[in-house]
């Protein structure tokens, strides 16, 4: 098994897109992903409409990082998960399900049915360290790329930049 205990088919680019575990609102956390050995995403600021935070939690170590879109450190991430990281975990559980998020991050199974609160408690109990925010630029760039697709007119023809994806029913 690979990073975060994902199977080979889950890591491949041809894996099926899974429907969210539950519908979620995108206003607070517009972008969340399990990638690069981290739970990472973009969280809206509660006080400034023009500011977003890029937050992440590393698998296994739970090292965390949170900074603004212009690389200023989050004031709440001082030795523990800030509210942006907590919101990221909640939305990841809605998007992927608690079981999958816990498995990806290698969180020890909490007693009972896992949920965002129990996953966060299990991770913070290990007293994770603050990580550098070097991955923030890549995460924010992917988020902006996703936003660009929302500006395209709906069409049924293929998008040129997506042509490298193999057809789903091709016979070798």
């Amino acid at each position: 098994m690979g990073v975060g205990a994902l199977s080979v088919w889950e890591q491949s680019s041809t894996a099926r897109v899974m429907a969210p575990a539950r519908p979620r609102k995108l206003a607070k956390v517009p972008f969340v992903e399990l990638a690069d050995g981290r739970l990472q995403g973009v969280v809206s600021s509660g006080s400034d409409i023009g500011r977003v935070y890029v937050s992440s939690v590393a698998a296994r170590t739970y090292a965390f990082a949170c900074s603004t879109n212009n690389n200023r450190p989050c004031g709440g991430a001082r030795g523990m998960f800030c509210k942006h990281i907590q919101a990221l975990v909640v939305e990841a559980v809605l998007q992927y399900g608690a079981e999958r998020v816990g498995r990806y991050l290698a969180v020890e199974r909490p007693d009972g049915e896992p949920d965002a609160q129990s996953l966060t408690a299990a991770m913070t109990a290990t007293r994770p360290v603050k990580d550098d925010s070097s991955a923030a630029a890549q995460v924010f760039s992917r988020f902006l790329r996703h936003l660009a697709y929302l500006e395209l007119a709906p069409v049924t023809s293929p998008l040129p930049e997506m042509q490298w994806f193999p057809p789903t029913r091709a016979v070798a």
Side-chain angles (χ1 to χ4, degrees):
M1 301 298 257
V3 172
L6 293 177
S7 65
V8 174
W9 71 268
E10 284 178 305
Q11 293 177 26
S12 79
S13 63
T14 59
R16 281 179 247 157
V17 175
M18 297 175 58
R22 285 180 276 173
R24 63 185 195 92
K25 296 178 182 171
L26 302 177
K28 184 65 179 163
V29 183
F31 182 69
V32 61
E33 65 180 353
L34 297 170
D36 304 327
R38 292 184 299 273
L39 165 61
Q40 53 196 17
V42 174
V43 181
S44 299
S45 170
S47 59
D48 183 356
I49 195 162
R51 182 181 305 141
V52 295
Y53 290 84
V54 180
S55 306
S56 67
V57 178
R60 292 184 181 82
T61 64
Y62 317 127
F64 60 94
C66 188
S67 60
T68 65
N69 51 323
N70 56 0
N71 288 331
R72 298 194 192 279
C74 172
R78 294 188 185 127
M80 61 182 180
F81 288 1
C82 62
K83 64 181 179 179
H84 309 111
I85 294 174
Q86 293 171 0
L88 183 69
V89 173
V90 168
E91 293 299 318
V93 166
L94 287 175
Q95 180 73 33
Y96 300 107
E99 188 72 34
R100 185 171 179 197
V101 172
R103 187 174 65 241
Y104 188 85
L105 294 175
V107 177
E108 291 290 324
R109 281 192 60 101
D111 294 336
E113 188 69 26
D115 61 3
Q117 186 177 6
S118 64
L119 291 176
T120 302
M123 289 187 287
T124 56
T126 66
R127 304 187 62 80
V129 297
K130 192 170 179 182
D131 202 1
D132 66 353
S133 58
S134 59
Q138 293 173 333
V139 175
F140 194 66
S141 177
R142 279 200 293 270
F143 167 63
L144 293 177
R145 185 157 179 88
H146 280 28
L147 285 180
Y149 286 112
L150 295 176
E151 295 175 357
L152 297 176
V155 295
T156 56
S157 59
L159 295 172
E161 64 268 19
M162 302 291 278
Q163 290 297 312
W164 62 273
F165 283 109
T168 57
R169 297 185 186 249
V171 177

PDB file of all heavy atoms in Angstrom, residues 1 24-25 28 30 34 65 73 77-78 138 154 156 161 170:
ATOM      1  N   MET A   1       0.834  -1.179   0.000  1.00  0.00           N
ATOM      2  CA  MET A   1       0.000   0.000   0.000  1.00  0.00           C
ATOM      3  C   MET A   1       0.876   1.239   0.000  1.00  0.00           C
ATOM      4  O   MET A   1       1.932   1.262   0.590  1.00  0.00           O
ATOM      5  CB  MET A   1      -0.892   0.006   1.224  1.00  0.00           C
ATOM      6  CG  MET A   1      -1.805  -1.220   1.316  1.00  0.00           C
ATOM      7  SD  MET A   1      -2.921  -1.298  -0.049  1.00  0.00           S
ATOM      8  CE  MET A   1      -4.378  -0.754   0.728  1.00  0.00           C
ATOM      9  N   ARG A  24     -21.932  18.963   0.623  1.00  0.00           N
ATOM     10  CA  ARG A  24     -21.352  19.976   1.491  1.00  0.00           C
ATOM     11  C   ARG A  24     -21.464  21.336   0.846  1.00  0.00           C
ATOM     12  O   ARG A  24     -21.558  21.449  -0.370  1.00  0.00           O
ATOM     13  CB  ARG A  24     -19.909  19.651   1.841  1.00  0.00           C
ATOM     14  CG  ARG A  24     -18.952  19.614   0.694  1.00  0.00           C
ATOM     15  CD  ARG A  24     -17.564  19.160   1.160  1.00  0.00           C
ATOM     16  NE  ARG A  24     -16.558  19.451   0.167  1.00  0.00           N
ATOM     17  CZ  ARG A  24     -15.840  20.559   0.112  1.00  0.00           C
ATOM     18  NH1 ARG A  24     -16.010  21.480   1.024  1.00  0.00           N
ATOM     19  NH2 ARG A  24     -14.956  20.746  -0.829  1.00  0.00           N
ATOM     20  N   LYS A  25     -21.466  22.368   1.676  1.00  0.00           N
ATOM     21  CA  LYS A  25     -21.509  23.735   1.192  1.00  0.00           C
ATOM     22  C   LYS A  25     -20.084  24.199   0.962  1.00  0.00           C
ATOM     23  O   LYS A  25     -19.195  23.921   1.758  1.00  0.00           O
ATOM     24  CB  LYS A  25     -22.217  24.624   2.209  1.00  0.00           C
ATOM     25  CG  LYS A  25     -23.664  24.249   2.388  1.00  0.00           C
ATOM     26  CD  LYS A  25     -24.328  25.115   3.422  1.00  0.00           C
ATOM     27  CE  LYS A  25     -25.762  24.644   3.590  1.00  0.00           C
ATOM     28  NZ  LYS A  25     -26.415  25.271   4.715  1.00  0.00           N
ATOM     29  N   LYS A  28     -17.442  27.922   3.066  1.00  0.00           N
ATOM     30  CA  LYS A  28     -16.397  27.970   4.096  1.00  0.00           C
ATOM     31  C   LYS A  28     -15.116  27.277   3.643  1.00  0.00           C
ATOM     32  O   LYS A  28     -14.018  27.788   3.860  1.00  0.00           O
ATOM     33  CB  LYS A  28     -16.926  27.333   5.391  1.00  0.00           C
ATOM     34  CG  LYS A  28     -15.958  27.412   6.541  1.00  0.00           C
ATOM     35  CD  LYS A  28     -15.688  28.833   6.972  1.00  0.00           C
ATOM     36  CE  LYS A  28     -14.728  28.871   8.148  1.00  0.00           C
ATOM     37  NZ  LYS A  28     -14.136  30.152   8.373  1.00  0.00           N
ATOM     38  N   PRO A  30     -13.931  25.862   0.182  1.00  0.00           N
ATOM     39  CA  PRO A  30     -14.234  25.615  -1.229  1.00  0.00           C
ATOM     40  C   PRO A  30     -13.392  24.525  -1.881  1.00  0.00           C
ATOM     41  O   PRO A  30     -13.764  24.004  -2.922  1.00  0.00           O
ATOM     42  CB  PRO A  30     -13.966  26.967  -1.888  1.00  0.00           C
ATOM     43  CG  PRO A  30     -13.021  27.660  -0.981  1.00  0.00           C
ATOM     44  CD  PRO A  30     -13.316  27.163   0.401  1.00  0.00           C
ATOM     45  N   LEU A  34      -7.231  15.019  -0.596  1.00  0.00           N
ATOM     46  CA  LEU A  34      -6.285  14.101   0.016  1.00  0.00           C
ATOM     47  C   LEU A  34      -5.228  13.859  -1.047  1.00  0.00           C
ATOM     48  O   LEU A  34      -5.460  13.115  -1.995  1.00  0.00           O
ATOM     49  CB  LEU A  34      -6.973  12.789   0.398  1.00  0.00           C
ATOM     50  CG  LEU A  34      -8.083  12.892   1.444  1.00  0.00           C
ATOM     51  CD1 LEU A  34      -8.838  11.576   1.554  1.00  0.00           C
ATOM     52  CD2 LEU A  34      -7.517  13.299   2.787  1.00  0.00           C
ATOM     53  N   ALA A  65       0.072  22.962   8.852  1.00  0.00           N
ATOM     54  CA  ALA A  65       0.477  24.268   8.344  1.00  0.00           C
ATOM     55  C   ALA A  65      -0.769  25.041   7.958  1.00  0.00           C
ATOM     56  O   ALA A  65      -1.748  24.461   7.483  1.00  0.00           O
ATOM     57  CB  ALA A  65       1.393  24.112   7.136  1.00  0.00           C
ATOM     58  N   PRO A  73       1.505  33.932   7.941  1.00  0.00           N
ATOM     59  CA  PRO A  73       1.129  32.830   8.835  1.00  0.00           C
ATOM     60  C   PRO A  73      -0.223  33.064   9.487  1.00  0.00           C
ATOM     61  O   PRO A  73      -0.621  34.195   9.744  1.00  0.00           O
ATOM     62  CB  PRO A  73       2.251  32.812   9.875  1.00  0.00           C
ATOM     63  CG  PRO A  73       2.865  34.166   9.819  1.00  0.00           C
ATOM     64  CD  PRO A  73       2.656  34.685   8.424  1.00  0.00           C
ATOM     65  N   ALA A  77      -2.743  29.238  14.490  1.00  0.00           N
ATOM     66  CA  ALA A  77      -2.009  27.966  14.459  1.00  0.00           C
ATOM     67  C   ALA A  77      -0.735  28.068  15.289  1.00  0.00           C
ATOM     68  O   ALA A  77       0.362  27.999  14.776  1.00  0.00           O
ATOM     69  CB  ALA A  77      -1.687  27.579  13.017  1.00  0.00           C
ATOM     70  N   ARG A  78      -0.904  28.210  16.582  1.00  0.00           N
ATOM     71  CA  ARG A  78       0.246  28.320  17.492  1.00  0.00           C
ATOM     72  C   ARG A  78       0.290  27.088  18.389  1.00  0.00           C
ATOM     73  O   ARG A  78      -0.264  27.094  19.479  1.00  0.00           O
ATOM     74  CB  ARG A  78       0.122  29.566  18.354  1.00  0.00           C
ATOM     75  CG  ARG A  78       0.206  30.833  17.563  1.00  0.00           C
ATOM     76  CD  ARG A  78       0.268  32.029  18.498  1.00  0.00           C
ATOM     77  NE  ARG A  78       0.235  33.259  17.723  1.00  0.00           N
ATOM     78  CZ  ARG A  78      -0.612  34.234  17.933  1.00  0.00           C
ATOM     79  NH1 ARG A  78      -1.499  34.145  18.898  1.00  0.00           N
ATOM     80  NH2 ARG A  78      -0.566  35.317  17.192  1.00  0.00           N
ATOM     81  N   GLN A 138       1.422  25.301  -4.143  1.00  0.00           N
ATOM     82  CA  GLN A 138       0.902  24.254  -5.033  1.00  0.00           C
ATOM     83  C   GLN A 138      -0.578  24.020  -4.794  1.00  0.00           C
ATOM     84  O   GLN A 138      -1.352  23.863  -5.735  1.00  0.00           O
ATOM     85  CB  GLN A 138       1.665  22.956  -4.824  1.00  0.00           C
ATOM     86  CG  GLN A 138       3.099  23.017  -5.249  1.00  0.00           C
ATOM     87  CD  GLN A 138       3.848  21.758  -4.853  1.00  0.00           C
ATOM     88  OE1 GLN A 138       3.491  21.093  -3.888  1.00  0.00           O
ATOM     89  NE2 GLN A 138       4.878  21.432  -5.604  1.00  0.00           N
ATOM     90  N   PRO A 154     -20.661  25.480 -20.342  1.00  0.00           N
ATOM     91  CA  PRO A 154     -20.913  24.032 -20.355  1.00  0.00           C
ATOM     92  C   PRO A 154     -20.999  23.509 -21.796  1.00  0.00           C
ATOM     93  O   PRO A 154     -21.775  24.015 -22.607  1.00  0.00           O
ATOM     94  CB  PRO A 154     -22.245  23.884 -19.628  1.00  0.00           C
ATOM     95  CG  PRO A 154     -22.867  25.234 -19.629  1.00  0.00           C
ATOM     96  CD  PRO A 154     -21.778  26.237 -19.809  1.00  0.00           C
ATOM     97  N   THR A 156     -20.320  19.711 -24.315  1.00  0.00           N
ATOM     98  CA  THR A 156     -20.169  18.256 -24.281  1.00  0.00           C
ATOM     99  C   THR A 156     -18.914  17.793 -25.002  1.00  0.00           C
ATOM    100  O   THR A 156     -18.556  16.629 -24.934  1.00  0.00           O
ATOM    101  CB  THR A 156     -21.394  17.573 -24.921  1.00  0.00           C
ATOM    102  OG1 THR A 156     -21.551  18.071 -26.243  1.00  0.00           O
ATOM    103  CG2 THR A 156     -22.639  17.843 -24.092  1.00  0.00           C
ATOM    104  N   GLU A 161      -7.011  20.425 -22.739  1.00  0.00           N
ATOM    105  CA  GLU A 161      -6.027  20.127 -21.701  1.00  0.00           C
ATOM    106  C   GLU A 161      -6.321  18.834 -20.947  1.00  0.00           C
ATOM    107  O   GLU A 161      -5.488  18.347 -20.193  1.00  0.00           O
ATOM    108  CB  GLU A 161      -5.874  21.290 -20.721  1.00  0.00           C
ATOM    109  CG  GLU A 161      -7.102  21.595 -19.916  1.00  0.00           C
ATOM    110  CD  GLU A 161      -7.994  22.634 -20.553  1.00  0.00           C
ATOM    111  OE1 GLU A 161      -7.893  22.885 -21.768  1.00  0.00           O
ATOM    112  OE2 GLU A 161      -8.814  23.188 -19.835  1.00  0.00           O
ATOM    113  N   ALA A 170     -11.680   1.956 -23.605  1.00  0.00           N
ATOM    114  CA  ALA A 170     -10.729   1.594 -24.659  1.00  0.00           C
ATOM    115  C   ALA A 170     -10.243   0.168 -24.455  1.00  0.00           C
ATOM    116  O   ALA A 170     -10.099  -0.309 -23.340  1.00  0.00           O
ATOM    117  CB  ALA A 170      -9.548   2.545 -24.653  1.00  0.00           C
TER     118      ALA A 170
END
